Structure formats: C-alpha cells, structure tokens
Amino acid sequence: MIRIYTDGAASGNPGPGGYGVVLKYKDAVKELSAGYRLTTNNRMELLAVITGLEAITKPGIAITVYSDSKYVVDAIEKKWVWGWQTKNFKDKANKDLWLRYLPLHARLNPKYVWIRGHAGHPENERCDQLAVRASQGYDLPADVGYESQK
C-alpha cells in the first residue's frame, strides 16, 4: 500500500501559500513541496493531494491519502465533488484543481482518512513544515489557477 500524507498552508488566506506531501511505499519515502505567491489554504490542501497522486508511477497498488483537510476529505468521501461536477462546478471554488483531480481519482481509486491537524501526527507535522517553508520562499511563482480567477 502507498500512503500519502498531505498538508497545505496559506498565510492571509488569500496570501502566500504552499503544500507539503510525504509519500511512503514499503521502505521508500519521498517528500514534495512547492509554494505560491497568492493562493488559499483550500487550494494548497487540494493541490497537495493532486501532487501526491500524480507522483505515483506504479498502477494497481492500493493508495490511502491522509489529510487534515475536511474540505478535501469530505468533498470526496461524501461524494460532493461528483455533484459539483454534474453542475460544472457552478459557484464552486477551485474548479481547475478539481478537474485535475477527477481523472486521478478514476485511475487510482484512493481511499481517504481524515486526521486532526497539529495533533502530533509525525507525517502530518512534517507535511506542515514542508508547506510552511515552501510558502516562505523567495520569488514565489503565481498560482495561475487562482490568480486568473481574480
């Protein structure tokens, strides 16, 4: 089983933001992160999941995503995102990211587990560190999906 731990952070919301991902498969561990000059926390939480899923190169392996984002976990586990999709995401934020997510879900069929943030979970704490550090980078790129909506 592949375990993906994710977290996102944005100061100001909107403001500078970043995401952190820790992927674990057998004894292998991979960390991913990136920051953006203007974004939201929900975008970074969702982008963390997308980035983690996009990093998977072995098909057919069970995947569990651990996230402290109720926005992401509930949207998927409670099947809200498919209702949003049927309405073309009318009046919903982050359409660009959800459209990027949906084919990944169809291909990989990940399971989701919500974990409480900032509660001492080692991988979640590491993801938070990665996200915050990425958001504090110098000369951060644009989150084009967010900034083009403004």
mmCIF file with all atom_site columns, all heavy atoms in Angstrom, residues 37-50:
data_model
loop_
_atom_site.group_PDB
_atom_site.id
_atom_site.type_symbol
_atom_site.label_atom_id
_atom_site.label_alt_id
_atom_site.label_comp_id
_atom_site.label_asym_id
_atom_site.label_entity_id
_atom_site.label_seq_id
_atom_site.pdbx_PDB_ins_code
_atom_site.Cartn_x
_atom_site.Cartn_y
_atom_site.Cartn_z
_atom_site.occupancy
_atom_site.B_iso_or_equiv
_atom_site.pdbx_formal_charge
_atom_site.auth_seq_id
_atom_site.auth_comp_id
_atom_site.auth_asym_id
_atom_site.auth_atom_id
_atom_site.pdbx_PDB_model_num
ATOM 1   N N   . ARG A 1 37 ? 2.821   32.620 -4.597  1.00 0.00 ? 37 ARG A N   1
ATOM 2   C CA  . ARG A 1 37 ? 2.789   33.974 -4.025  1.00 0.00 ? 37 ARG A CA  1
ATOM 3   C C   . ARG A 1 37 ? 1.414   34.391 -3.541  1.00 0.00 ? 37 ARG A C   1
ATOM 4   O O   . ARG A 1 37 ? 1.293   35.201 -2.622  1.00 0.00 ? 37 ARG A O   1
ATOM 5   C CB  . ARG A 1 37 ? 3.330   34.978 -5.039  1.00 0.00 ? 37 ARG A CB  1
ATOM 6   C CG  . ARG A 1 37 ? 2.435   35.188 -6.242  1.00 0.00 ? 37 ARG A CG  1
ATOM 7   C CD  . ARG A 1 37 ? 3.035   36.153 -7.237  1.00 0.00 ? 37 ARG A CD  1
ATOM 8   N NE  . ARG A 1 37 ? 2.155   36.316 -8.390  1.00 0.00 ? 37 ARG A NE  1
ATOM 9   C CZ  . ARG A 1 37 ? 2.592   36.630 -9.586  1.00 0.00 ? 37 ARG A CZ  1
ATOM 10  N NH1 . ARG A 1 37 ? 3.878   36.822 -9.794  1.00 0.00 ? 37 ARG A NH1 1
ATOM 11  N NH2 . ARG A 1 37 ? 1.740   36.777 -10.573 1.00 0.00 ? 37 ARG A NH2 1
ATOM 12  N N   . LEU A 1 38 ? 0.345   33.873 -4.156  1.00 0.00 ? 38 LEU A N   1
ATOM 13  C CA  . LEU A 1 38 ? -1.012  34.245 -3.753  1.00 0.00 ? 38 LEU A CA  1
ATOM 14  C C   . LEU A 1 38 ? -1.933  33.057 -4.020  1.00 0.00 ? 38 LEU A C   1
ATOM 15  O O   . LEU A 1 38 ? -2.112  32.647 -5.164  1.00 0.00 ? 38 LEU A O   1
ATOM 16  C CB  . LEU A 1 38 ? -1.504  35.466 -4.546  1.00 0.00 ? 38 LEU A CB  1
ATOM 17  C CG  . LEU A 1 38 ? -2.880  36.003 -4.159  1.00 0.00 ? 38 LEU A CG  1
ATOM 18  C CD1 . LEU A 1 38 ? -2.868  36.535 -2.721  1.00 0.00 ? 38 LEU A CD1 1
ATOM 19  C CD2 . LEU A 1 38 ? -3.306  37.100 -5.127  1.00 0.00 ? 38 LEU A CD2 1
ATOM 20  N N   . THR A 1 39 ? -2.509  32.533 -2.951  1.00 0.00 ? 39 THR A N   1
ATOM 21  C CA  . THR A 1 39 ? -3.351  31.351 -3.059  1.00 0.00 ? 39 THR A CA  1
ATOM 22  C C   . THR A 1 39 ? -4.208  31.248 -1.810  1.00 0.00 ? 39 THR A C   1
ATOM 23  O O   . THR A 1 39 ? -4.237  32.168 -0.995  1.00 0.00 ? 39 THR A O   1
ATOM 24  C CB  . THR A 1 39 ? -2.480  30.086 -3.280  1.00 0.00 ? 39 THR A CB  1
ATOM 25  O OG1 . THR A 1 39 ? -3.326  28.999 -3.652  1.00 0.00 ? 39 THR A OG1 1
ATOM 26  C CG2 . THR A 1 39 ? -1.634  29.746 -2.067  1.00 0.00 ? 39 THR A CG2 1
ATOM 27  N N   . THR A 1 40 ? -4.908  30.124 -1.649  1.00 0.00 ? 40 THR A N   1
ATOM 28  C CA  . THR A 1 40 ? -5.708  29.901 -0.449  1.00 0.00 ? 40 THR A CA  1
ATOM 29  C C   . THR A 1 40 ? -5.324  28.571 0.190   1.00 0.00 ? 40 THR A C   1
ATOM 30  O O   . THR A 1 40 ? -4.742  27.700 -0.459  1.00 0.00 ? 40 THR A O   1
ATOM 31  C CB  . THR A 1 40 ? -7.220  29.864 -0.766  1.00 0.00 ? 40 THR A CB  1
ATOM 32  O OG1 . THR A 1 40 ? -7.508  28.716 -1.563  1.00 0.00 ? 40 THR A OG1 1
ATOM 33  C CG2 . THR A 1 40 ? -7.670  31.148 -1.455  1.00 0.00 ? 40 THR A CG2 1
ATOM 34  N N   . ASN A 1 41 ? -5.691  28.425 1.438   1.00 0.00 ? 41 ASN A N   1
ATOM 35  C CA  . ASN A 1 41 ? -5.411  27.194 2.154   1.00 0.00 ? 41 ASN A CA  1
ATOM 36  C C   . ASN A 1 41 ? -6.093  25.996 1.480   1.00 0.00 ? 41 ASN A C   1
ATOM 37  O O   . ASN A 1 41 ? -5.477  24.945 1.290   1.00 0.00 ? 41 ASN A O   1
ATOM 38  C CB  . ASN A 1 41 ? -5.859  27.317 3.607   1.00 0.00 ? 41 ASN A CB  1
ATOM 39  C CG  . ASN A 1 41 ? -5.411  26.143 4.424   1.00 0.00 ? 41 ASN A CG  1
ATOM 40  O OD1 . ASN A 1 41 ? -4.219  25.920 4.594   1.00 0.00 ? 41 ASN A OD1 1
ATOM 41  N ND2 . ASN A 1 41 ? -6.356  25.354 4.918   1.00 0.00 ? 41 ASN A ND2 1
ATOM 42  N N   . ASN A 1 42 ? -7.375  26.137 1.114   1.00 0.00 ? 42 ASN A N   1
ATOM 43  C CA  . ASN A 1 42 ? -8.071  25.022 0.475   1.00 0.00 ? 42 ASN A CA  1
ATOM 44  C C   . ASN A 1 42 ? -7.411  24.603 -0.832  1.00 0.00 ? 42 ASN A C   1
ATOM 45  O O   . ASN A 1 42 ? -7.319  23.416 -1.135  1.00 0.00 ? 42 ASN A O   1
ATOM 46  C CB  . ASN A 1 42 ? -9.547  25.354 0.230   1.00 0.00 ? 42 ASN A CB  1
ATOM 47  C CG  . ASN A 1 42 ? -10.376 25.223 1.481   1.00 0.00 ? 42 ASN A CG  1
ATOM 48  O OD1 . ASN A 1 42 ? -9.955  24.661 2.483   1.00 0.00 ? 42 ASN A OD1 1
ATOM 49  N ND2 . ASN A 1 42 ? -11.589 25.756 1.435   1.00 0.00 ? 42 ASN A ND2 1
ATOM 50  N N   . ARG A 1 43 ? -6.933  25.564 -1.609  1.00 0.00 ? 43 ARG A N   1
ATOM 51  C CA  . ARG A 1 43 ? -6.235  25.217 -2.854  1.00 0.00 ? 43 ARG A CA  1
ATOM 52  C C   . ARG A 1 43 ? -4.976  24.426 -2.546  1.00 0.00 ? 43 ARG A C   1
ATOM 53  O O   . ARG A 1 43 ? -4.670  23.443 -3.224  1.00 0.00 ? 43 ARG A O   1
ATOM 54  C CB  . ARG A 1 43 ? -5.883  26.471 -3.662  1.00 0.00 ? 43 ARG A CB  1
ATOM 55  C CG  . ARG A 1 43 ? -7.079  27.081 -4.360  1.00 0.00 ? 43 ARG A CG  1
ATOM 56  C CD  . ARG A 1 43 ? -6.667  28.225 -5.265  1.00 0.00 ? 43 ARG A CD  1
ATOM 57  N NE  . ARG A 1 43 ? -5.859  27.808 -6.404  1.00 0.00 ? 43 ARG A NE  1
ATOM 58  C CZ  . ARG A 1 43 ? -6.348  27.251 -7.514  1.00 0.00 ? 43 ARG A CZ  1
ATOM 59  N NH1 . ARG A 1 43 ? -7.642  27.012 -7.639  1.00 0.00 ? 43 ARG A NH1 1
ATOM 60  N NH2 . ARG A 1 43 ? -5.544  26.934 -8.511  1.00 0.00 ? 43 ARG A NH2 1
ATOM 61  N N   . MET A 1 44 ? -4.240  24.837 -1.533  1.00 0.00 ? 44 MET A N   1
ATOM 62  C CA  . MET A 1 44 ? -2.995  24.141 -1.218  1.00 0.00 ? 44 MET A CA  1
ATOM 63  C C   . MET A 1 44 ? -3.267  22.740 -0.661  1.00 0.00 ? 44 MET A C   1
ATOM 64  O O   . MET A 1 44 ? -2.534  21.797 -0.955  1.00 0.00 ? 44 MET A O   1
ATOM 65  C CB  . MET A 1 44 ? -2.148  24.963 -0.250  1.00 0.00 ? 44 MET A CB  1
ATOM 66  C CG  . MET A 1 44 ? -1.610  26.256 -0.868  1.00 0.00 ? 44 MET A CG  1
ATOM 67  S SD  . MET A 1 44 ? -0.508  26.006 -2.292  1.00 0.00 ? 44 MET A SD  1
ATOM 68  C CE  . MET A 1 44 ? -1.636  26.170 -3.683  1.00 0.00 ? 44 MET A CE  1
ATOM 69  N N   . GLU A 1 45 ? -4.333  22.605 0.116   1.00 0.00 ? 45 GLU A N   1
ATOM 70  C CA  . GLU A 1 45 ? -4.701  21.269 0.614   1.00 0.00 ? 45 GLU A CA  1
ATOM 71  C C   . GLU A 1 45 ? -5.030  20.332 -0.550  1.00 0.00 ? 45 GLU A C   1
ATOM 72  O O   . GLU A 1 45 ? -4.578  19.190 -0.583  1.00 0.00 ? 45 GLU A O   1
ATOM 73  C CB  . GLU A 1 45 ? -5.910  21.365 1.559   1.00 0.00 ? 45 GLU A CB  1
ATOM 74  C CG  . GLU A 1 45 ? -5.662  22.137 2.839   1.00 0.00 ? 45 GLU A CG  1
ATOM 75  C CD  . GLU A 1 45 ? -4.903  21.362 3.905   1.00 0.00 ? 45 GLU A CD  1
ATOM 76  O OE1 . GLU A 1 45 ? -4.467  20.220 3.658   1.00 0.00 ? 45 GLU A OE1 1
ATOM 77  O OE2 . GLU A 1 45 ? -4.746  21.917 5.012   1.00 0.00 ? 45 GLU A OE2 1
ATOM 78  N N   . LEU A 1 46 ? -5.807  20.818 -1.499  1.00 0.00 ? 46 LEU A N   1
ATOM 79  C CA  . LEU A 1 46 ? -6.189  20.002 -2.654  1.00 0.00 ? 46 LEU A CA  1
ATOM 80  C C   . LEU A 1 46 ? -4.998  19.763 -3.572  1.00 0.00 ? 46 LEU A C   1
ATOM 81  O O   . LEU A 1 46 ? -4.808  18.650 -4.074  1.00 0.00 ? 46 LEU A O   1
ATOM 82  C CB  . LEU A 1 46 ? -7.335  20.676 -3.404  1.00 0.00 ? 46 LEU A CB  1
ATOM 83  C CG  . LEU A 1 46 ? -7.880  19.968 -4.642  1.00 0.00 ? 46 LEU A CG  1
ATOM 84  C CD1 . LEU A 1 46 ? -8.269  18.519 -4.345  1.00 0.00 ? 46 LEU A CD1 1
ATOM 85  C CD2 . LEU A 1 46 ? -9.067  20.749 -5.198  1.00 0.00 ? 46 LEU A CD2 1
ATOM 86  N N   . LEU A 1 47 ? -4.175  20.772 -3.786  1.00 0.00 ? 47 LEU A N   1
ATOM 87  C CA  . LEU A 1 47 ? -3.006  20.608 -4.645  1.00 0.00 ? 47 LEU A CA  1
ATOM 88  C C   . LEU A 1 47 ? -2.016  19.603 -4.053  1.00 0.00 ? 47 LEU A C   1
ATOM 89  O O   . LEU A 1 47 ? -1.356  18.867 -4.789  1.00 0.00 ? 47 LEU A O   1
ATOM 90  C CB  . LEU A 1 47 ? -2.335  21.953 -4.913  1.00 0.00 ? 47 LEU A CB  1
ATOM 91  C CG  . LEU A 1 47 ? -1.236  21.948 -5.969  1.00 0.00 ? 47 LEU A CG  1
ATOM 92  C CD1 . LEU A 1 47 ? -1.724  21.370 -7.295  1.00 0.00 ? 47 LEU A CD1 1
ATOM 93  C CD2 . LEU A 1 47 ? -0.690  23.356 -6.163  1.00 0.00 ? 47 LEU A CD2 1
ATOM 94  N N   . ALA A 1 48 ? -1.926  19.554 -2.742  1.00 0.00 ? 48 ALA A N   1
ATOM 95  C CA  . ALA A 1 48 ? -1.064  18.553 -2.099  1.00 0.00 ? 48 ALA A CA  1
ATOM 96  C C   . ALA A 1 48 ? -1.520  17.147 -2.464  1.00 0.00 ? 48 ALA A C   1
ATOM 97  O O   . ALA A 1 48 ? -0.713  16.282 -2.820  1.00 0.00 ? 48 ALA A O   1
ATOM 98  C CB  . ALA A 1 48 ? -1.061  18.749 -0.579  1.00 0.00 ? 48 ALA A CB  1
ATOM 99  N N   . VAL A 1 49 ? -2.815  16.902 -2.386  1.00 0.00 ? 49 VAL A N   1
ATOM 100 C CA  . VAL A 1 49 ? -3.355  15.589 -2.744  1.00 0.00 ? 49 VAL A CA  1
ATOM 101 C C   . VAL A 1 49 ? -3.073  15.282 -4.209  1.00 0.00 ? 49 VAL A C   1
ATOM 102 O O   . VAL A 1 49 ? -2.599  14.195 -4.564  1.00 0.00 ? 49 VAL A O   1
ATOM 103 C CB  . VAL A 1 49 ? -4.870  15.517 -2.439  1.00 0.00 ? 49 VAL A CB  1
ATOM 104 C CG1 . VAL A 1 49 ? -5.482  14.256 -3.028  1.00 0.00 ? 49 VAL A CG1 1
ATOM 105 C CG2 . VAL A 1 49 ? -5.120  15.595 -0.942  1.00 0.00 ? 49 VAL A CG2 1
ATOM 106 N N   . ILE A 1 50 ? -3.355  16.237 -5.080  1.00 0.00 ? 50 ILE A N   1
ATOM 107 C CA  . ILE A 1 50 ? -3.134  16.039 -6.516  1.00 0.00 ? 50 ILE A CA  1
ATOM 108 C C   . ILE A 1 50 ? -1.669  15.725 -6.797  1.00 0.00 ? 50 ILE A C   1
ATOM 109 O O   . ILE A 1 50 ? -1.352  14.779 -7.529  1.00 0.00 ? 50 ILE A O   1
ATOM 110 C CB  . ILE A 1 50 ? -3.588  17.291 -7.301  1.00 0.00 ? 50 ILE A CB  1
ATOM 111 C CG1 . ILE A 1 50 ? -5.104  17.432 -7.238  1.00 0.00 ? 50 ILE A CG1 1
ATOM 112 C CG2 . ILE A 1 50 ? -3.094  17.245 -8.742  1.00 0.00 ? 50 ILE A CG2 1
ATOM 113 C CD1 . ILE A 1 50 ? -5.634  18.777 -7.706  1.00 0.00 ? 50 ILE A CD1 1
#
